[in-house]
Amino acid sequence: MNMGEHDVIVLLLALATLLATGRALGELARRFHQPAVLGEIVAGLLLGPTVLGRLAPEISAWLFDDGPSAVVRAGFGQVAVCLFMFAAGLEVDLSTVLRRGRAALSVSISGIAVPFAFGLGAAWLWPTVLGGAPGVAPLHFALFFATALSISALPVIAKTLMDIGLFRSDLGMIVISAAIVEDLAGWIIFAIILGLIGGTGTAHGVPLTVALVLGFALTMLTVGRWTLNRVMPALHAYLSWPSGVLGVVFTLALLGAAASAWIGVHALFGAFMVGIAVGDSRHLRGRTRATIEQFIAAFFAPIFFASIGLGVDFVRHFDPLLVAVVLVIACAGKVLGCGLGARLGGTAWRESWAIGVAMNSRGAMEIILGLLALQAGIIEERMFVALVVMALVTSLLSGPIIQRILRRPRPRRVADLLSPRAFLGRLSAGDAAGAIGELATRAAEAARLPDAAVIAAVAAREAAMATGIEGGVAVPHARLAGLGTPIVVVGLAPDGIDFGAPDGQPARVVVLLLTGEDDDSAQLELLADVAHVFAPVDSAAHAARCAGYTEFLAALRTGSAKP
Amino acid sequence: MNMGEHDVIVLLLALATLLATGRALGELARRFHQPAVLGEIVAGLLLGPTVLGRLAPEISAWLFDDGPSAVVRAGFGQVAVCLFMFAAGLEVDLSTVLRRGRAALSVSISGIAVPFAFGLGAAWLWPTVLGGAPGVAPLHFALFFATALSISALPVIAKTLMDIGLFRSDLGMIVISAAIVEDLAGWIIFAIILGLIGGTGTAHGVPLTVALVLGFALTMLTVGRWTLNRVMPALHAYLSWPSGVLGVVFTLALLGAAASAWIGVHALFGAFMVGIAVGDSRHLRGRTRATIEQFIAAFFAPIFFASIGLGVDFVRHFDPLLVAVVLVIACAGKVLGCGLGARLGGTAWRESWAIGVAMNSRGAMEIILGLLALQAGIIEERMFVALVVMALVTSLLSGPIIQRILRRPRPRRVADLLSPRAFLGRLSAGDAAGAIGELATRAAEAARLPDAAVIAAVAAREAAMATGIEGGVAVPHARLAGLGTPIVVVGLAPDGIDFGAPDGQPARVVVLLLTGEDDDSAQLELLADVAHVFAPVDSAAHAARCAGYTEFLAALRTGSAKP
């Protein structure tokens, strides 16, 4: 069987459709501060039998069910999921776990044990509701279901914590460390279950498969990790950069994947373990890591996750009772398990519940686990649909609930508050007082306050202390009574205006900030954001040359205006 | 047909083998200052029927000829070559062409016309030696052969010029602009030939195919380019970065590829055109461009180029007479055509020949063109082998010959001159004189000169003018009579030693340079290299904390010591 011209066209169009729809809905999810994988999965629902297959079955069949191109797409998906798990492994930082020791261990052990027990119990109690695929031993199904409830999604959890500014906090580090341990344990347990179930048919037999899985994992976490860390400087020193080191780590990822497929567990397990071993090296350059993660997140991940929905009709296999039961058991087991674990580890009650909720995100990991179980014949479509829904719902709820528990709103950012109206472009004034006048007038209009009052408040603050900061930026500001949402107005001064900055540079970008008198944190958050955005050398000078609002916003969002 | 577990293992191992061998030999080629693609092609020869197929036919068959995994690998190769051509298109900077106007146009027109005429003439004169595949009209074959001689390889040419430090010179810019025009014209002509040959069988007919190819190319170069440049800031401003903009450009690349496959010319033509349109936007961030190019160069390109050798036995189809004829005609046509064109454009004779030789590199482009012609049945294996050999030989010779013509050696770099013996690690001295003493003693040993003389020479230079430069680096140096190869010795001072730098920072890295009294350029080249390597903020401070020689060399090579 070979690819004809027609097959090439179908393959390219299918990949383009999956990528475009996946990225577009992923972007929409991010807009609502949700992980991109949520949108990517939904894209698959739209393109697969659930929606497009119902509305326009001939288009769906032409794009996705055609002979050789479908085989290639499936193979491409195999490579894509291995690379995705490799990138997920890169994010696992084992030294964080070691530093957090007791608290992390307590959360993760209890966070695995409680949902695992819930899962085993439920599978035994309600075999008719939950039940595995016909022909699968009840014990095997129960073990799978218990594992599926125990796993959590490190990338989603990390993203949620970053979004609400908790990633580098004590609480954040406990959550991340516990999630690492759970991920690791969960995948090893699942690999063993796959070995158990396939065991009768595989070349190795059950005990050998289990031994090989544990041996492979342990080797990668010890010898593999140590060796890679030792070799990494030599890779940078003696190979061309970055293609030398990239070539080596991708080769290792593919070999690890092949090894775990040979053992009899899925290829992605090996790629994940190699990712952990590589990512833990302190010699791996940040730039190399970013190239890998960004390319995989933008190309392979959307194509893979959107493909998942192509195989299953989510409406036909939607079993409301099953979905409800899975969702309740999953949330109860995880939140209770991790919450109690955190409390036992010495965390206060409120933070313990926040940890429990944070760990409840299932995200991409749950869905991949479910897909493998579906392909291995352990579960039927209705359970797969229930697991996907559970993964999506737990990921959706995690962020908002933590914010509510900790009463911690998302930090405000200048880029989110700016609008075309609030962007003045080039200022006509040549001195600080004039610039403040122009900016404050526009700000007063937006705040529906009298011009004179706003100008006076900002000028008074400026007189008390000059607001020029390092790098050619000034941030005149004031706190005003009765103001709700903070107001940001930006003006550019390519020739520079003296705002008395400590480094003596004139300001080329002037950001006026008005915040409410009773909003203690807004001003600090926005000042920190401005300083962060314009930290790269020359970024203010570049931003000052932007031709309009969109270009300036692009400069803010990409962290530097240098094209 | 579906992928079983066995097929997944074979697919992963085949990809890993291609990637590892391709990267390893690519690295070896780079070591000899040759483009990586040379090594990648040779890797394919080793793994395919030419070598491995002879030595161990069962291993070769198991890895590469197996059912579904071979189909997936072929489809993967299709996607890989499209992405590679997309990345090649990104490098095409049309504004460079416009700026160089006359000279570039003169080189490229004559550089296409002369080899094209040579090719047409040779194909008519020696049909028995050159001859196309049976059943192909002689005119079609002659047109293909003429195009194959006219095309040149932009990425290889750019790399060669960078290696010898000519990329940003006047000569370099003329060469690059001419190569851009030739690439563009060559691919459009080839696309039209593919349309002509397939024309009788395609849906569109010949005139429509030609019109569609020209229309597609013109649209991408005008409307497409303009629209993308306009939209780019909005992509950065309103989508997450960099995955938003990456997702959009990859989708466009796949759609462009599908469109040109539908027109009836190969998919890679469309991807290349989209690459040009995207790459020309001045709003595309350098970081985004680097992520795309690095990932593709390290992952897709080696797999694709190494796969080429899998299909053809280069020994059996090696026809010495044909190889010699193709090589001679190709070199004569290109060097004469471009050389005369440059002379007519107003360049001096010596530089004109250098331009002709630079343009003679055929590299990856020729090989892709040959592969497409082989797949389309226009040529037979023996002509494909001759074209590949010609591409490899012209790429190999280009750099060394230009250096000889222009009498321009490769600029020397600190990283190439350093050795474990010349790396002292932490200096014990706490002041400049002591540091110079330690470094000069080791340098004297390497130069086989008396210690005292070397120390005195360096100290005298230091006394005349302090050698601390910005960013925490010092470069004490001296020129000595009778010294051949320059000598570099490095010492680290994490706590800093005052070398009177203009920014007041103490030196944390001290690089001692000894050069020959009659070698005018060495000292300047090495000083410039040190300044360049340690330009990023804090890089000297990071490098000073390196644990040993390999880590320090890694820091030098990756341009910054920050991990």
Side-chain angles (χ1 to χ4, degrees):
Chain A
M1 183 165 79
N2 255 311
M3 303 264 296
E5 259 178 54
H6 170 75
D7 302 314
V8 172
I9 299 177
V10 172
L11 173 67
L12 291 168
L13 283 180
L15 292 179
T17 310
L18 290 169
L19 178 57
T21 320
R23 275 303 310 146
L25 295 191
E27 204 58 55
L28 201 67
R30 296 282 284 267
R31 189 58 50 90
F32 293 101
H33 301 283
Q34 295 297 342
V37 66
L38 259 66
E40 292 163 2
I41 296 280
V42 174
L45 300 192
L46 295 183
L47 294 173
T50 317
V51 178
L52 187 66
R54 283 210 161 70
L55 300 179
E58 61 295 337
I59 295 180
S60 177
W62 187 85
L63 261 184
F64 300 117
D65 298 345
D66 213 311
S69 71
V71 176
V72 173
R73 227 187 49 243
F76 197 87
Q78 289 278 357
V79 176
V81 71
C82 287
L83 289 176
F84 174 79
M85 289 297 285
F86 171 70
L90 283 186
E91 289 185 41
V92 169
D93 180 3
L94 289 176
S95 47
T96 307
V97 180
L98 296 177
R99 250 173 317 189
R100 293 288 144 183
R102 200 173 75 99
L105 219 60
S106 156
V107 174
S108 50
I109 290 175
S110 165
I112 295 177
V114 176
F116 205 88
F118 274 43
L120 277 182
W124 281 112
L125 281 175
W126 302 307
T128 45
V129 177
L130 293 168
V136 172
L139 175 65
H140 291 168
F141 170 74
L143 281 175
F144 163 74
F145 187 62
T147 313
L149 296 189
S150 313
I151 217 152
S152 55
L154 184 55
V156 173
I157 292 176
K159 182 73 184 58
T160 307
L161 291 172
M162 278 179 207
D163 271 356
I164 53 182
L166 280 178
F167 188 74
R168 309 227 159 267
S169 69
D170 261 12
L171 186 145
M173 282 295 112
I174 292 176
V175 170
I176 290 295
S177 320
I180 290 171
V181 176
E182 288 193 4
D183 251 25
L184 206 54
W187 281 105
I188 293 177
I189 296 174
F190 181 65
I192 293 174
I193 294 175
L194 272 185
L196 277 177
I197 292 167
T200 45
T202 63
H204 313 303
V206 177
L208 185 55
T209 303
V210 172
L212 285 171
V213 168
L214 288 176
F216 181 75
L218 277 178
T219 310
M220 287 317 296
L221 294 180
T222 54
V223 184
R225 204 172 128 238
W226 184 85
T227 312
L228 272 163
N229 190 42
R230 290 300 300 259
V231 167
M232 201 61 77
L235 296 182
H236 286 99
Y238 300 112
L239 300 183
S240 55
W241 188 76
S243 52
V245 63
L246 286 175
V248 171
V249 301
F250 288 136
T251 301
L252 291 177
L254 292 171
L255 288 178
S260 72
W262 173 80
I263 289 176
V265 300
H266 193 278
L268 59 80
F269 175 70
F272 181 59
M273 286 292 158
V274 172
I276 297 177
V278 169
D280 220 47
S281 169
R282 65 185 181 85
H283 296 294
L284 184 69
R285 297 288 188 275
R287 190 66 192 68
T288 312
R289 195 186 290 267
T291 297
I292 299 174
E293 293 180 347
Q294 290 169 357
F295 198 98
I296 290 173
F299 186 73
F300 290 106
I303 291 179
F304 169 72
F305 285 110
S307 315
I308 291 176
L310 297 182
V312 179
D313 184 335
F314 278 71
V315 169
R316 192 149 68 86
H317 297 292
F318 189 86
D319 176 342
L321 178 62
L322 182 64
V323 169
V325 170
V326 168
L327 194 57
V328 168
I329 302 177
C331 291
K334 200 69 172 185
V335 175
L336 276 179
C338 293
L340 293 177
R343 186 74 194 93
L344 286 174
T347 311
W349 271 115
R350 182 183 291 277
E351 277 71 31
S352 294
W353 292 127
I355 290 175
V357 174
M359 299 287 291
N360 195 33
S361 291
R362 299 317 208 285
M365 294 297 172
E366 187 72 47
I367 292 166
I368 294 177
L369 197 78
L371 189 66
L372 294 187
L374 181 66
Q375 286 166 351
I378 306 171
I379 58 172
E380 293 177 293
E381 276 90 349
R382 58 187 198 103
M383 176 54 99
F384 176 67
V385 170
L387 288 176
V388 171
V389 171
M390 185 268 275
L392 295 182
V393 172
T394 51
S395 302
L396 263 168
L397 292 181
S398 177
I401 296 181
I402 299 175
Q403 290 185 338
R404 176 104 13 137
I405 294 177
L406 297 182
R407 301 189 189 108
R408 192 185 169 90
R410 196 181 306 279
R412 278 149 287 196
R413 297 183 54 207
V414 169
D416 299 330
L417 292 167
L418 205 59
S419 68
R421 276 294 293 160
F423 179 75
L424 294 188
R426 267 186 120 127
L427 295 169
S428 39
D431 61 359
I436 288 175
E438 281 182 68
L439 293 162
T441 307
R442 179 64 58 88
E445 188 186 300
R448 295 195 186 136
L449 291 170
D451 292 7
V454 175
I455 296 179
V458 178
R461 182 73 191 76
E462 191 71 30
M465 201 179 102
T467 60
I469 60 175
E470 294 205 345
V473 182
V475 275
H477 54 270
R479 293 176 67 167
L480 298 174
L483 192 64
T485 317
I487 287 176
V488 173
V489 181
V490 170
L492 305 180
D495 303 326
I497 296 177
D498 182 24
F499 267 88
D503 62 357
Q505 280 192 53
R508 301 185 195 278
V509 175
V510 186
V511 184
L512 179 89
L513 307 172
L514 297 185
T515 52
E517 207 162 45
D518 43 354
D519 187 347
D520 284 331
S521 50
Q523 183 167 300
L524 280 177
E525 287 166 11
L526 290 171
L527 284 174
D529 186 43
V530 173
H532 175 75
V533 165
F534 292 106
V537 177
D538 290 338
S539 54
H542 282 282
R545 287 197 291 273
C546 283
Y549 172 69
T550 306
E551 280 188 31
F552 183 79
L553 189 60
L556 279 190
R557 292 242 191 245
T558 57
S560 153
K562 202 182 290 184
Chain B
M1 183 166 77
N2 254 313
M3 305 262 295
E5 258 177 55
H6 170 75
D7 303 314
V8 172
I9 299 176
V10 173
L11 172 68
L12 292 168
L13 283 181
L15 292 179
T17 309
L18 290 169
L19 179 57
T21 319
R23 275 303 309 146
L25 295 191
E27 204 58 55
L28 201 66
R30 296 282 285 268
R31 189 59 49 91
F32 293 101
H33 301 283
Q34 296 297 342
V37 66
L38 259 66
E40 292 163 1
I41 297 279
V42 174
L45 300 193
L46 296 183
L47 295 173
T50 318
V51 178
L52 187 64
R54 282 208 162 71
L55 300 179
E58 61 296 338
I59 295 180
S60 175
W62 187 85
L63 260 183
F64 300 119
D65 299 345
D66 213 311
S69 72
V71 176
V72 172
R73 226 187 48 243
F76 197 87
Q78 289 278 357
V79 176
V81 70
C82 287
L83 289 176
F84 173 79
M85 289 297 284
F86 171 70
L90 283 186
E91 290 186 41
V92 170
D93 179 4
L94 289 176
S95 46
T96 307
V97 181
L98 296 177
R99 250 175 314 189
R100 293 287 144 181
R102 201 173 75 98
L105 220 61
S106 158
V107 173
S108 52
I109 290 176
S110 165
I112 294 178
V114 176
F116 204 88
F118 273 44
L120 276 183
W124 279 114
L125 282 176
W126 302 307
T128 44
V129 177
L130 295 167
V136 172
L139 174 66
H140 291 167
F141 170 73
L143 281 174
F144 162 73
F145 186 62
T147 313
L149 296 189
S150 313
I151 218 155
S152 54
L154 185 55
V156 173
I157 292 176
K159 183 71 182 57
T160 306
L161 291 172
M162 278 178 206
D163 271 355
I164 54 182
L166 279 178
F167 189 74
R168 307 224 161 267
S169 69
D170 262 11
L171 187 146
M173 283 295 112
I174 292 176
V175 170
I176 290 295
S177 321
I180 290 171
V181 175
E182 287 193 5
D183 252 24
L184 205 55
W187 281 105
I188 293 177
I189 296 173
F190 181 66
I192 292 173
I193 295 175
L194 272 185
L196 277 177
I197 292 166
T200 46
T202 62
H204 312 304
V206 177
L208 185 54
T209 304
V210 173
L212 285 172
V213 168
L214 288 175
F216 180 75
L218 277 176
T219 310
M220 287 317 297
L221 294 180
T222 54
V223 184
R225 204 171 126 237
W226 183 85
T227 313
L228 272 163
N229 190 44
R230 290 300 301 260
V231 168
M232 201 62 75
L235 297 182
H236 286 101
Y238 300 111
L239 300 183
S240 55
W241 188 74
S243 51
V245 63
L246 286 176
V248 171
V249 301
F250 288 137
T251 301
L252 291 176
L254 292 172
L255 287 178
S260 71
W262 173 81
I263 289 176
V265 299
H266 193 277
L268 59 82
F269 176 70
F272 181 59
M273 286 292 158
V274 172
I276 296 178
V278 170
D280 220 48
S281 170
R282 64 184 180 83
H283 295 294
L284 184 69
R285 298 288 187 274
R287 191 65 191 72
T288 311
R289 196 186 289 267
T291 297
I292 299 174
E293 293 181 347
Q294 289 169 359
F295 197 98
I296 290 174
F299 186 74
F300 290 106
I303 291 179
F304 169 72
F305 285 110
S307 314
I308 291 177
L310 297 182
V312 179
D313 185 335
F314 278 70
V315 168
R316 192 148 69 85
H317 298 291
F318 188 87
D319 175 342
L321 178 63
L322 182 65
V323 169
V325 170
V326 167
L327 193 56
V328 169
I329 304 177
C331 292
K334 200 68 173 190
V335 175
L336 277 178
C338 294
L340 294 177
R343 186 73 193 97
L344 286 174
T347 312
W349 271 116
R350 180 184 290 278
E351 277 72 31
S352 293
W353 292 127
I355 289 176
V357 174
M359 299 288 291
N360 194 33
S361 292
R362 301 314 211 284
M365 294 297 173
E366 188 71 49
I367 291 166
I368 295 177
L369 197 79
L371 189 66
L372 295 187
L374 181 67
Q375 287 167 349
I378 306 171
I379 58 172
E380 293 177 292
E381 276 91 349
R382 61 189 195 102
M383 177 55 101
F384 176 66
V385 170
L387 288 175
V388 170
V389 172
M390 186 267 276
L392 296 182
V393 172
T394 52
S395 303
L396 263 167
L397 292 181
S398 177
I401 296 183
I402 300 175
Q403 290 185 341
R404 176 102 15 137
I405 293 179
L406 297 181
R407 302 189 188 110
R408 195 187 166 88
R410 196 180 306 280
R412 279 148 289 197
R413 297 182 53 206
V414 169
D416 298 330
L417 292 167
L418 206 59
S419 68
R421 276 293 294 159
F423 179 76
L424 293 189
R426 265 188 124 129
L427 296 168
S428 40
D431 60 359
I436 288 174
E438 280 182 68
L439 293 162
T441 306
R442 179 64 57 89
E445 186 186 303
R448 295 196 186 137
L449 290 170
D451 290 10
V454 175
I455 297 179
V458 178
R461 181 75 192 75
E462 191 71 31
M465 202 178 102
T467 60
I469 60 176
E470 294 205 346
V473 182
V475 275
H477 55 270
R479 292 174 67 168
L480 298 175
L483 193 64
T485 317
I487 288 177
V488 173
V489 181
V490 170
L492 305 180
D495 304 327
I497 296 177
D498 183 24
F499 266 87
D503 62 356
Q505 281 192 52
R508 300 184 195 280
V509 175
V510 186
V511 183
L512 178 87
L513 306 172
L514 297 185
T515 53
E517 207 162 45
D518 42 354
D519 187 349
D520 284 331
S521 49
Q523 184 169 301
L524 281 177
E525 287 166 12
L526 290 171
L527 284 172
D529 186 43
V530 173
H532 175 76
V533 166
F534 292 107
V537 177
D538 291 337
S539 55
H542 282 281
R545 287 196 290 274
C546 282
Y549 172 69
T550 305
E551 279 187 31
F552 184 78
L553 189 59
L556 279 190
R557 292 239 192 244
T558 58
S560 154
K562 203 181 291 184

